Amino acid sequence: MSEPFEPKIVAFVCTYCTYAGADLAGTSRLKYAPNVRIVRLPCTGRISPMFILKALQKGADGVLVSGCHPGDCHFTHGNYHARRRWMVFRALLDFTGISPERVIFSWISAAEGSKFADLINSVTEDIRKLGPFDQYQQLIKETESPATL
Amino acid sequence: MITQEKYRTTVKELLANGSIKMAIGYRPGSTSDRRRPLFIRTSEEADQLVLDSTCITNLSGYLVTEGLLSDEKRVGIFLRPEGIRSINILAAEYQLNVDQIIIFGFDFTGREVRALQGQTTGDFSALLSEIRENPPLATKEPLLERIEKMNAKERFDFWQQEFSRCIKCYACRQACPMCYCRRCIVDSNQPQWVNTSSHTLGNFEWNVVRAFHLSGRCVQCGNCDRACPVNIPLRLINQRMAKEVVDGFDHFAGLSPTQEPVLASFKKDDTETFIL
């Protein structure tokens, strides 16, 4: 008996925009896929690429990173720095064989509750189609210290 | 040989008149094709100096040794063009003051060693821009092209195989002039970002993070490649990242000591095609 695959997605969001957007999605009673685990951070500039790797290391099938639109950052330019970092990091993941479809970046403002709900739904569907990250999870299993999310 | 003799005399002169307190160069190593770093403080030590086509190590990392430059005296160092770029990056990241560095530039084609004209990083800016325009042929790697053609799964398998050999000796980190952090991310255990066992999972993360921290800073001196005891092609990843940074942000690392580090600066109109 195998259960149908439910992707585990970790979302790293900034507290001023995307987290507020997620909150709006909640208070507006929008229904979206329950596969996402949200981690709230002060700013997208605080999101170290280590976080993304750690999420994958602990068995996530996909990672979503989201913050304020350019120009809207609470700290004026945290997201500009983050944008450069992501671009390089994304290329690095691609080169080392972690499919870029598993690590998704987006801008969602505090007013875009419905965009948040739609994005979570579409990302969950995409990752469901990709299937579990078997290659990586095989490695995790070998270490004999699999952690559940 | 002529270049070597010339530089021996120059180093002796500069030591004698007190312009430099030390010169960092090369001396014979355990085999005829190996060289060790030489720290010249006296004119007798200057006689041990060797300069030939086997002097490939980038010595610039020794400059950030704790306390070496804190007395504000000057230090001379033997560098190839990559080394000069490293010095520029270290200066741009406020790790050293370029005024304290006297550069003994050299380069070689085949076995022929020639001196590079100049003493300070500014003297070499024309040379560095030329390298930017015409990168040396050695940077075209067939293996890199092969990896580019693979799909995600094949790439993952390729790197998994390579990284499975890693023994986490961190020789790549020790050899790299850019890895000067007092506390490296892998030494941190609260939280433990990277597994400490030499299992492929942790190896993968360590090598990815290492490459990320070097993107936009690596000058492809190849110190990591040569230091790796299990011959992981570390330089390939760095090379790929350097290309990414040139294509994406038009940033060629180490052109001048005042060049802003690429990941510590931004433009409002940076490309963001991948962001939803």
Side-chain angles (χ1 to χ4, degrees):
Chain A
M1 280 288 285
S2 62
E3 289 178 16
F5 167 62
E6 278 299 330
K8 286 177 188 163
I9 297 164
V10 179
F12 295 104
V13 302
C14 90
T15 180
Y16 292 97
C17 293
T18 308
Y19 194 81
D23 205 18
L24 180 65
T27 48
S28 324
R29 316 267 171 195
L30 295 172
K31 205 171 174 187
Y32 59 86
N35 304 50
V36 66
R37 283 92 169 138
I38 295 181
V39 180
R40 179 170 70 151
L41 291 147
C43 179
T44 39
R46 174 66 184 90
I47 299 171
S48 155
M50 259 352 270
F51 296 178
I52 300 173
L53 282 179
K54 193 75 176 178
L56 292 170
Q57 186 193 101
K58 291 294 177 195
D61 299 299
V63 179
L64 170 70
V65 184
S66 179
C68 309
H69 286 268
D72 290 354
C73 181
H74 181 79
F75 306 100
T76 70
H77 50 240
N79 54 358
Y80 288 121
H81 283 293
R83 182 167 66 181
R84 278 210 163 182
R85 219 176 289 156
W86 296 346
M87 185 166 161
V88 173
F89 191 61
R90 193 170 175 274
L92 178 62
L93 289 183
D94 187 27
F95 187 64
T96 48
I98 296 175
S99 161
E101 287 112 34
R102 292 196 185 271
V103 184
I104 300 111
F105 301 94
S106 79
W107 305 131
I108 295 174
S109 80
E112 291 174 324
S114 59
K115 182 180 174 187
F116 181 81
D118 292 346
L119 183 74
I120 298 294
N121 283 332
S122 72
V123 165
T124 310
E125 266 328 294
D126 290 350
I127 302 217
R128 200 192 300 276
K129 270 181 217 142
L130 281 174
F133 200 173
D134 282 330
Q135 285 173 306
Y136 214 86
Q137 270 149 23
Q138 192 54 43
L139 283 178
I140 300 170
K141 263 189 209 133
E142 282 175 21
T143 61
E144 296 178 343
S145 59
T148 48
L149 279 170
Chain B
M1 279 300 135
I2 308 160
T3 318
Q4 177 181 311
E5 290 309 320
K6 209 188 89 198
Y7 268 136
R8 276 186 189 174
T9 338
T10 321
V11 168
K12 281 179 193 170
E13 271 169 24
L14 289 177
L15 279 172
N17 67 23
S19 323
I20 55 172
K21 67 163 182 175
M22 186 205 272
I24 306 175
Y26 304 86
R27 70 184 171 93
S30 46
T31 58
S32 63
D33 58 348
R34 288 182 177 211
R35 294 291 172 254
R36 284 184 189 176
L38 170 68
F39 302 92
I40 309 166
R41 292 182 191 82
T42 61
S43 71
E44 292 82 64
E45 283 172 326
D47 288 325
Q48 293 177 36
L49 178 76
V50 174
L51 204 62
D52 58 21
S53 58
T54 57
C55 299
I56 39 181
T57 309
N58 179 355
L59 298 175
S60 54
Y62 290 106
L63 290 174
V64 287
T65 309
E66 214 171 311
L68 178 68
L69 297 171
S70 52
D71 58 2
E72 304 200 340
K73 287 182 183 157
R74 287 197 280 191
V75 170
I77 184 164
F78 283 84
L79 294 172
R80 290 170 62 213
E82 300 94 85
I84 301 169
R85 285 173 64 198
S86 316
I87 299 278
N88 279 337
I89 300 171
L90 290 172
E93 293 173 359
Y94 302 104
Q95 296 304 311
L96 52 80
N97 180 357
V98 278
D99 299 334
Q100 273 178 274
I101 314 294
I102 301 282
I103 296 168
F104 303 121
F106 72 100
D107 202 359
F108 39 79
T109 28
R111 297 181 65 83
E112 190 78 25
V113 183
R114 60 176 195 281
L116 301 175
Q117 293 308 313
Q119 276 207 324
T120 59
T121 56
D123 300 339
F124 299 98
S125 53
L127 175 83
L128 296 181
S129 333
E130 197 187 312
I131 291 177
R132 180 191 181 148
E133 297 309 317
N134 312 303
L137 284 172
T139 55
K140 283 187 188 125
E141 294 274 353
L143 186 55
L144 192 62
E145 279 163 32
R146 215 184 84 205
I147 300 171
E148 299 274 349
K149 286 195 190 105
M150 293 178 180
N151 64 31
K153 190 177 175 299
E154 288 165 340
R155 275 186 209 172
F156 192 87
D157 289 339
F158 172 82
W159 288 113
Q160 190 182 329
Q161 210 177 7
E162 293 291 336
F163 295 150
S164 65
R165 298 202 303 273
C166 175
I167 53 171
K168 289 235 187 73
C169 62
Y170 303 129
C172 43
R173 177 186 75 184
Q174 298 310 116
C176 181
M178 290 301 128
C179 280
Y180 52 72
C181 288
R182 291 212 183 159
R183 189 156 195 200
C184 179
I185 193 163
V186 290
D187 298 331
S188 141
N189 55 7
Q190 203 67 293
Q192 181 101 62
W193 292 113
V194 177
N195 291 347
T196 45
S197 68
S198 67
H199 183 269
T200 318
L201 180 68
N203 294 350
F204 198 94
E205 284 147 6
W206 155 243
N207 283 288
V208 167
V209 162
R210 193 191 136 274
F212 178 71
H213 287 176
L214 287 177
S215 40
R217 305 167 68 226
C218 176
V219 295
Q220 276 131 59
C221 64
N223 274 10
C224 52
D225 241 29
R226 287 187 294 272
C228 184
V230 292
N231 295 324
I232 299 172
L234 295 167
R235 190 152 43 152
L236 283 187
I237 315 182
N238 296 340
Q239 210 172 321
R240 179 66 185 74
M241 286 299 103
K243 183 173 169 282
E244 193 63 36
V245 170
V246 170
D247 294 351
F249 312 114
D250 195 27
H251 180 96
F252 185 76
L255 278 183
S256 85
T258 50
Q259 188 184 30
E260 276 198 324
V262 68
L263 291 185
S265 55
F266 64 86
K267 281 199 186 103
K268 289 198 169 167
D269 55 352
D270 279 336
T271 45
E272 52 166 58
T273 46
F274 62 94
I275 299 177
L276 300 172

